[in-house]
């Protein structure tokens, strides 16, 4: 067990994930809609052109096209058709049982929500900075590999007992095997690092970590996952 002082530095709600749709993604989607020369579109017009191309389709057709692009190697045609219909009413980035696909469903829904002026569910994510300060420098090495699991164990201790993360994953939080952790923390970037502290930029679904906005500075202990091949 390693002991840390945890301090929440910032907390924001997002409707779009950082760096989720790049110019190359928009061009690929435009090609899928039948657009002839996406490379000729000015970079600052790509987003609007993609929205326009998608809205030329029926909402479920557009959803199917976006899901095909994101999940081509993971889902069958039949699964994509079913999910495209579900996307109109369901928050698949929260409700779908496949956690590793949640970030992709969020990206798809955020794009379609904007293109269709709210016909799809509104996607909400959270982004925050958290500073972890250890009693000795050696403790920080716990975050060198698979940092999501030990970090989630620390974050959970700053959230209420009835928070969803604790209710669904109490065994993983208490133990040394948390293969779902990289599917819960979607983006994790270490910034300012000193001998005994590190600041992490965290992006996740509001579904899992919205309660962290209430966290004050506190002390908590954590442990790394025992084996690196736990996932899958």
């Amino acid at each position: 067990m390693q002991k840390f002082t945890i301090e929440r530095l910032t907390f924001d709600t997002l409707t779009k994930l950082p760096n989720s749709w790049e110019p190359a993604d928009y061009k690929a989607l435009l090609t899928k809609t039948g657009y002839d020369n996406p490379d000729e579109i000015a970079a600052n017009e790509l987003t609007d052109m993609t929205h326009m191309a998608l809205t030329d389709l029926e909402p479920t057709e557009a959803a199917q096209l976006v899901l095909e692009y994101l999940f081509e190697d993971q889902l069958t045609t039949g699964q994509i058709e079913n999910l495209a219909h579900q996307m109109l009413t369901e928050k698949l980035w929260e409700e779908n049982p496949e956690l590793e696909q949640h970030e992709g469903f969020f990206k798809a829904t955020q794009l379609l929500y904007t293109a269709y002026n709210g016909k799809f569910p509104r996607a909400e994510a959270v982004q925050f900075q958290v500073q972890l300060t250890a009693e000795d420098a050696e403790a920080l090495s716990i975050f060198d590999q698979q940092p999501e699991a030990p970090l989630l164990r620390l974050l959970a201790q700053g959230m209420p007992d009835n928070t969803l993360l604790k209710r669904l994953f109490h065994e993983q939080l208490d133990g040394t095997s948390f293969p779902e952790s990289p599917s819960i923390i979607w983006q994790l970037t270490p910034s300012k690092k000193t001998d005994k502290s590190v600041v992490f930029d965290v992006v996740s679904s509001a579904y899992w970590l919205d309660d962290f906005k209430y966290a004050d500075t506190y002390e908590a202990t954590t442990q790394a996952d025992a084996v690196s091949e736990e996932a899958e």
Side-chain angles (χ1 to χ4, degrees):
M1 285 277 189
Q2 302 287 359
K3 189 175 181 182
F4 291 88
T5 300
I6 295 89
E7 183 181 0
R8 177 181 53 77
L9 303 178
T10 62
F11 196 97
D12 296 295
T13 302
L14 309 174
T15 53
K16 182 180 179 184
L17 300 183
N19 310 310
S20 55
W21 291 101
E22 302 285 356
D25 298 310
Y26 289 129
K27 289 176 184 178
L29 288 176
L30 284 165
T31 301
K32 283 178 75 68
T33 66
Y35 195 96
D36 286 337
N37 297 303
D39 285 334
E40 294 175 6
I41 302 171
N44 62 344
E45 295 175 4
L46 272 171
T47 306
D48 289 342
M49 288 299 292
T50 305
H51 289 163
M52 285 170 58
L54 288 171
T55 52
D56 281 342
L57 304 169
E58 289 297 314
T60 50
E61 284 182 284
Q64 198 168 322
L65 183 144
V66 174
L67 290 178
E68 280 172 0
Y69 174 66
L70 289 171
F71 295 112
E72 190 175 14
D73 302 325
Q74 298 177 50
L75 299 171
T76 66
T77 305
Q79 287 173 319
I80 286 171
E81 285 175 7
N82 288 336
L83 290 163
H85 283 88
Q86 290 175 30
M87 276 185 75
L88 278 162
T89 55
E90 294 179 29
K91 297 180 176 183
L92 292 182
W93 68 94
E94 297 178 359
E95 297 165 17
N96 191 275
E98 303 298 330
L99 258 68
E100 69 274 10
Q101 294 169 3
H102 280 194
E103 184 178 0
F105 288 132
F106 188 101
K107 287 166 60 174
T109 308
Q110 79 180 33
L111 178 67
L112 293 161
Y113 174 86
T114 306
Y116 281 90
N117 290 319
K119 272 190 181 175
F120 288 80
R122 186 171 186 269
E124 277 202 352
V126 296
Q127 181 175 30
F128 57 87
Q129 283 192 325
V130 58
Q131 181 169 293
L132 313 175
T133 305
E135 293 181 330
D136 63 87
E138 189 62 35
L140 287 180
S141 64
I142 200 171
F143 302 110
D144 288 349
Q145 292 185 322
Q146 294 185 292
E148 293 91 351
L151 178 59
L152 276 176
R153 292 181 178 113
L154 291 172
L155 298 179
Q157 291 168 71
M159 296 195 286
D161 287 342
N162 65 350
T163 198
L164 188 68
L165 185 69
K166 288 186 177 180
R167 287 191 280 120
L168 292 188
F169 293 108
H170 61 94
E171 288 182 9
Q172 291 89 333
L173 290 167
D174 292 342
T176 55
S177 175
F178 200 165
E180 300 88 353
S181 59
S183 301
I184 293 171
I185 292 182
W186 292 343
Q187 297 180 22
L188 184 61
T189 313
S191 53
K192 308 166 190 165
K193 195 169 183 183
T194 70
D195 284 349
K196 292 186 179 180
S197 72
V198 62
V199 173
F200 279 114
D201 259 310
V202 180
V203 176
S204 176
S205 170
Y207 186 63
W208 297 118
L209 294 181
D210 192 53
D211 281 344
F212 191 68
K213 67 187 174 193
Y214 304 115
D216 292 319
T217 301
Y218 60 98
E219 291 192 347
T221 57
T222 189
Q223 65 278 359
D225 271 7
V227 209
S228 59
E229 294 83 12
E230 289 289 349
E232 296 306 306

